[in-house]
């Protein structure tokens, strides 16, 4: 943005659309062009004023570091450049670190300033970022990194390079302690910053148009001799390729950050004594017909409680195109739900949706399949709920984040199966599913899975290794679709209804087999007839299941989950139950 002086008033010219903006209007819009939406660069002090509650910022003391370690001189001595940068910016270094609050939620912020030697990562910046992380660890409050950098500071040589390892190590300590880390990528973020602390956060947000990458576009083009595509390395490009979680305009950043910061607040200090365990929540409570004798009314635990229907009716209802989607349920049930995107490996699968939110005040991580609803174009975009490997890897990333923050995981299963295309096979579909099965078996937080529609084969199971597996009244769960089974065994796809009966895909049969632990009632005629009521019934069942699991410390929770799945197919199911209770 360029300042333009008028006769009496100040104006600003947008670099992108070349429109003139009245200065006061520009400031009110948080320095975002009201015509084209270009986000002008902010200084570190401006950024802190924008994000933090007024008067809440408390500076983190400056950390001394080596000064001109190489006696570096190019056209000028390095100390002179430092003095000029300090004089021009009023800052001591290229990052400002403070403690503060966002909508009342505590946070430690490290905000970089591109004006100071291009926001380069030198020893002093590394020391300040590390001190911000240690302050976050000491206070047990989240860390917010606002990045803007051209890369490492050349004038400090290999010592600058070492700051990448130093800051990454500091964030690893926060991972081990279960402290939330958020990155807000601003334009530009390149080089050593991009390849260290900027991209190691649990959640990576970006401003519209912000550029992020290891090598800059000119370096890439000179190296490979090719012209890069339009928008390369922009936030929009990165979101499509699964490398960031979301793009958040400046006006929405405080709200989004507050929702994320609230996830940390519920956690007790790990040093606090664990609650006394009650009766085990695992298989010892679940006899083979699914009845516990003390189940809440909103979860049907006995097969006789499930209304009797023919075997083909639930197949049709489970596939109804107007059945509520995971986003419908999230809108009805969760406060502050924020969808997170990408597997951080290069792709974002729209057939899997996930993100944190609050279920009646309880923070959870919601993950599930999304078929796309009633519109054909949207169903096609989401591959009819059939995930690619990127979808399962995204789910795994969010489950690991939930484990770090000690959030219960809720999965909503609704898929015909994993996507069967050649690209999925090339990208390791089988491995992605297998990795999720292993991850969920040992995840140290409560997991509740609900088959809300179709539970198709391994593509469904990859999100359903849980402490409580529920199914909606008109859901189905099977090793293969009835049509596929009929074609293979009956040699006649028209025998699908016969195959559905033989496979016992309906809720009541699954409850008798012990495949599911309970059934969630639906409105008469199916969930699509009254989505609001269906969501209320699902929400009540989820709360009941989570209430049962909440008291359990991780090791015992994992043992019960593993024992539960271990007993499937065992000739003596009671033996596995006795092992859990210590009777064997």
């Amino acid at each position: 943005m360029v300042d333009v002086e008028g006769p009496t008033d100040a104006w600003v010219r947008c670099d992108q659309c070349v429109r003139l903006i009245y200065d006061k209007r520009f400031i009110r819009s948080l320095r975002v062009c009201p015509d084209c939406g270009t986000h002008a660069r902010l200084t570190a002090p401006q950024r802190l004023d924008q994000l933090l509650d007024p008067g809440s910022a408390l500076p983190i003391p400056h950390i001394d570091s080596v000064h001109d370690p190489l006696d570096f001189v190019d056209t000028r001595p390095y100390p002179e450049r430092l003095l000029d940068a300090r004089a021009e910016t009023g800052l001591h270094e290229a990052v400002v670190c403070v403690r503060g609050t966002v909508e009342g939620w505590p946070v430690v912020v490290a905000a970089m300033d591109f004006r100071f030697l291009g926001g380069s990562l030198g020893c002093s910046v590394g020391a300040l970022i590390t001190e911000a992380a240690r302050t976050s660890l000491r206070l047990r409050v989240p860390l917010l990194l606002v990045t803007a950098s051209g890369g490492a500071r050349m004038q400090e040589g290999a010592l600058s390079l070492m700051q990448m390892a130093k800051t990454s190590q500091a964030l690893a300590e926060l991972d081990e302690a279960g402290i939330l880390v958020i990155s807000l990528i601003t334009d530009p973020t390149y080089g050593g910053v991009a390849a260290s602390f900027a991209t190691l956060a649990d959640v990576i947000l970006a401003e519209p148009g912000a550029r992020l990458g290891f090598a800059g576009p000119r370096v890439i083009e000179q190296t490979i001799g090719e012209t890069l595509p339009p928008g390369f390395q922009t936030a929009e490009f990165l979101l499509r390729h699964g490398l960031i979680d979301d793009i958040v305009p400046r006006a929405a950043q405080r709200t989004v950050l507050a929702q994320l910061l609230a996830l940390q607040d519920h956690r007790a200090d790990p040093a606090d004594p664990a609650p006394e365990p009650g009766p085990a929540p695992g298989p010892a409570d679940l006899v083979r017909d699914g009845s516990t004798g003390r189940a809440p009314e909103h979860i049907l635990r006995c097969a006789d409680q499930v209304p009797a229907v023919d075997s083909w009716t639930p197949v049709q209802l489970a596939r109804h195109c107007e059945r509520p989607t995971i986003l419908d349920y999230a809108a009805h049930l969760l406060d502050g739900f924020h969808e997170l995107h990408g597997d951080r490996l290069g792709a974002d699968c729209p057939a899997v949706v996930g993100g944190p939110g609050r279920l009646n005040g309880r923070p959870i991580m919601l993950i599930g399949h999304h078929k796309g609803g009633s519109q054909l174009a949207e169903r096609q975009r989401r591959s009819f709920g059939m995930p690619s490997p990127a979808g399962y890897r995204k789910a795994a990333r969010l489950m690991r984040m939930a484990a770090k923050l000690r959030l219960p995981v809720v999965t909503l299963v609704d898929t015909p199966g994993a996507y069967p295309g050649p690209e999925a096979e090339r990208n390791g579909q089988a491995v992605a599913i297998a990795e999720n099965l292993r991850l969920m078996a040992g995840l140290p937080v409560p997991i509740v899975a609900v088959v809300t529609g179709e539970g198709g084969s391994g593509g469904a199971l990859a999100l359903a290794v849980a402490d409580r597996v529920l199914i909606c009244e008109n859901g189905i769960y099977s090793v293969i679709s009835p049509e596929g089974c009929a074609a293979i065994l009956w040699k006649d796809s028209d025998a699908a209804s016969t195959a559905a009966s033989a496979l016992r895909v309906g809720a009541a049969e699954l409850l008798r087999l012990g495949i599911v632990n309970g059934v969630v009632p639906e409105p008469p005629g199916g969930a699509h007839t009254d989505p609001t009521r269906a969501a209320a019934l699902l929400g009540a069942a989820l709360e009941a299941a989570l209430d049962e699991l909440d008291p359990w410390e991780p090791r015992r929770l994992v043992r019960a989950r593993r024992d539960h799945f271990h007993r499937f197919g065992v000739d003596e199911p009671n033996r596995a139950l006795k092992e859990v209770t210590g009777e064997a």
Side-chain angles (χ1 to χ4, degrees), residues 365-369 391-392 395-400 402-403 408-413 432-450 458-469 477 554 557-563 565:
M365 182 67 75
L366 179 68
I367 305 168
H369 303 95
Y392 293 115
R397 180 174 75 83
L398 296 183
M399 284 188 268
R400 291 189 186 98
V409 172
V410 171
T411 65
L412 302 186
V413 175
I433 291 172
E435 291 285 359
N436 272 26
L437 299 180
R438 178 169 62 181
L439 172 66
M440 296 186 80
L443 206 69
V445 293
I447 309 174
V448 177
V450 186
L461 182 62
L463 295 185
V465 178
D467 305 295
R468 291 289 183 268
V469 181
Y477 199 5
L557 190 67
V558 169
R559 188 184 70 178
R561 186 187 310 145
R562 288 175 172 171
D563 285 339
F565 281 87

Side-chain angles (χ1 to χ4, degrees), residues 17 51 124 240 244 260 310 331 377 417 479 503 546:
C17 68
L51 293 177
S124 187
R240 287 196 303 273
I244 63 174
L260 294 171
D310 67 86
V479 66
L503 288 168
L546 290 171

Side-chain angles (χ1 to χ4, degrees), residues 261-460:
L261 295 174
L263 299 175
Q264 191 84 61
D265 188 65
H266 77 288
R267 299 174 65 258
D269 191 296
D272 292 344
E276 288 296 320
D285 280 338
L286 304 168
V287 298
R288 198 151 180 83
D289 70 353
S291 173
T292 65
R294 55 181 179 81
E297 293 180 0
H298 34 257
I299 299 178
L300 308 180
R301 305 282 183 131
C302 179
D304 293 340
Q305 295 176 288
V306 182
V309 293
D310 67 86
S311 59
W312 191 242
T313 296
V315 176
Q316 295 174 301
L317 291 177
R319 296 171 174 173
H320 199 289
C321 66
E322 294 182 358
R323 200 166 177 84
T325 68
I326 182 173
L327 290 180
D328 294 328
Y329 285 124
H332 279 100
L333 295 177
L334 300 187
D335 294 322
F337 173 74
H338 194 89
E339 184 179 355
L340 304 179
H341 295 267
D343 65 353
R344 300 271 177 93
L345 294 174
D348 182 41
C349 174
V352 173
V353 167
R358 287 180 173 264
L359 176 66
N360 197 20
R362 173 193 274 123
I364 67 167
M365 182 67 75
L366 179 68
I367 305 168
H369 303 95
H370 195 321
K371 283 185 172 179
S374 58
Q375 300 299 314
L376 179 59
E378 182 66 1
R379 290 168 73 84
Q380 291 172 331
R381 186 178 79 84
R382 295 188 184 269
S383 299
F384 298 90
M386 294 184 290
S388 68
Y392 293 115
R393 290 174 181 139
K394 171 167 63 175
R397 180 174 75 83
L398 296 183
M399 284 188 268
R400 291 189 186 98
M401 176 180 165
K404 172 182 171 177
L405 299 177
R406 295 171 59 189
L407 303 180
V409 172
V410 171
T411 65
L412 302 186
V413 175
D414 187 12
T415 179
Y419 190 75
E423 191 67 21
E425 293 300 314
R426 280 193 292 268
N427 288 330
Q429 184 72 287
V431 175
I433 291 172
E435 291 285 359
N436 272 26
L437 299 180
R438 178 169 62 181
L439 172 66
M440 296 186 80
L443 206 69
V445 293
I447 309 174
V448 177
V450 186
V451 181
T452 58
E454 279 188 281
S457 192

